[in-house]
């Protein structure tokens, strides 16, 4: 980031993360000594396919995409990681190179925690391994649901399902990234994504204001998904 770097208290931040909240002050202090604060601008790469994985990362602010790309440069977004969420734990435990790319989609602040520090703390406190395993399992469950959706649901159903999941109390979905990135996450082309959004708008189910999508009738939209 180009703005002046502001102080950031890694110790306090780790204390409010569910993964580390139960650690003692001494345990957390040992982790902090092996943490690195990384400030990225939009487009910065965090790691690439084939890079060694010697740490995992927590997004403090910003957005990160995990993706794969073919030789022609076409991308498929595997996951979008927002503030408060971590990534790369599985690579770290596998002792294998990264098999996806990670890139900042916005100005992003990361806390990177070294593999060696995590292994040391797991030896001292096995419950940390259980919490990390739970997080990896939740991510795996989400990816299995994605595969099921791609195989069994139409593009229309996937997009509507996304809107229904992401709606806030105000029934508004604020896209965290560009429409093309969300489209890739849902395995849709950007053109199809935009076409479906405008079809739903024409049906009086949503209104679109740049990245903000307001759902006018949740129940009608859910029924439309079943068509």
């Amino acid at each position: 980031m180009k703005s002046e770097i502001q102080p950031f208290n890694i110790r306090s931040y780790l204390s409010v993360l569910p993964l580390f909240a139960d650690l003692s002050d001494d345990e957390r202090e040992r982790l902090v000594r092996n943490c690195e604060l990384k400030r990225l601008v939009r487009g910065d790469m965090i790691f690439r396919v084939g890079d060694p994985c010697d740490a995992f990362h927590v997004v403090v602010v910003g957005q990160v995409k995990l993706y794969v790309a073919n030789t022609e440069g076409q991308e498929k977004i595997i996951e979008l990681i927002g503030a408060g969420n971590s990534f790369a734990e599985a690579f770290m435990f596998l002792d294998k190179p990264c098999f996806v790319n990670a890139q900042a989609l916005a100005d992003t602040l990361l806390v990177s925690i070294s593999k060696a520090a995590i292994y040391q703390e797991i030896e001292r406190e096995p419950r940390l391994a259980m919490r990390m395993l739970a997080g990896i399992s939740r991510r795996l469950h989400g990816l299995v649901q994605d595969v099921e959706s791609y195989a069994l649901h139409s593009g229309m159903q996937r997009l509507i399902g996304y809107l229904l999941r992401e709606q806030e109390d105000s029934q508004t979905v604020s896209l965290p990234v560009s429409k093309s990135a969300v489209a890739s996450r849902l395995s849709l082309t950007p053109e199809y994504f935009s076409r479906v959004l405008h079809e739903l708008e024409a049906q009086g189910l949503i209104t679109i204001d740049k990245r903000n999508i307001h759902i006018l009738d949740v129940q009608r939209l859910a029924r439309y998904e079943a068509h």
Side-chain angles (χ1 to χ4, degrees):
M1 295 180 182
K2 296 181 180 180
S3 58
E4 181 181 352
I5 293 178
Q6 299 297 317
F8 179 79
N9 192 321
I10 297 178
R11 185 182 299 100
S12 296
Y13 182 71
L14 293 184
S15 70
V16 301
L17 290 178
L19 184 59
F20 303 116
D22 294 337
L23 296 181
S24 69
D25 290 341
D26 288 343
E27 290 168 335
R28 202 173 295 120
E29 180 62 33
R30 285 195 296 268
L31 279 181
V32 168
R33 290 198 294 267
N34 291 279
C35 287
E36 182 181 357
L37 197 62
K38 298 181 179 180
R39 296 177 184 267
L40 310 168
V41 297
R42 179 181 179 183
D44 280 353
M45 296 298 298
I46 302 159
F47 53 74
R48 290 180 169 84
V49 172
D51 286 349
C53 185
D54 53 8
F56 84 102
H57 315 275
V58 182
V59 179
V60 181
V61 294
Q63 191 92 18
V64 171
K65 69 173 178 179
L66 304 183
Y67 72 98
V68 292
N70 62 18
T71 55
E72 286 75 38
Q74 295 176 316
E75 294 182 4
K76 170 65 179 80
I77 294 179
I78 306 299
E79 194 169 5
L80 297 170
I81 313 293
N85 295 300
S86 59
F87 61 98
E89 303 98 313
F91 310 146
M92 184 179 69
F93 285 123
L94 283 172
D95 283 328
K96 291 185 177 181
C98 299
F99 46 83
V100 300
N101 305 287
Q103 183 180 33
L105 286 176
D107 288 354
T108 297
L109 181 64
L110 292 182
V111 173
S112 298
I113 307 172
S114 77
K115 173 181 175 179
I118 289 296
Y119 275 36
Q120 290 171 5
E121 288 310 314
I122 286 176
E123 289 181 0
R124 294 187 178 99
E125 177 49 83
R127 287 180 300 175
L128 177 58
M130 298 300 294
R131 290 195 291 272
M132 297 192 76
L133 181 60
I136 293 171
S137 299
R138 284 192 296 271
R139 182 165 294 136
L140 175 61
H141 182 255
L143 293 174
V144 170
Q145 287 182 315
D146 287 345
V147 172
E148 177 187 18
S149 176
Y150 302 152
L152 302 178
H153 298 162
S154 69
M156 172 74 77
Q157 290 172 325
R158 296 202 297 274
L159 195 155
I160 292 177
Y162 171 83
L163 295 177
L164 293 174
R165 287 193 306 272
E166 298 296 321
Q167 63 170 317
E168 302 169 356
D169 293 337
S170 61
Q171 297 181 197
T172 296
V173 177
S174 296
L175 299 181
V177 291
S178 67
K179 292 177 182 177
S180 61
V182 176
S184 176
R185 179 69 181 83
L186 298 174
S187 286
L188 304 173
T189 65
E191 296 78 14
Y192 183 83
F193 184 88
S194 294
R195 187 164 67 248
V196 171
L197 282 181
H198 286 103
E199 177 181 337
L200 296 177
E201 188 174 41
Q203 294 292 327
L205 296 168
I206 64 172
T207 58
I208 304 169
D209 180 15
K210 297 180 180 177
R211 289 190 181 179
N212 295 320
I213 301 171
H214 182 65
I215 301 174
L216 301 177
D217 191 321
V218 171
Q219 292 183 345
R220 277 188 62 210
L221 184 62
R223 289 197 298 269
Y224 199 83
E225 178 188 20
H227 289 173

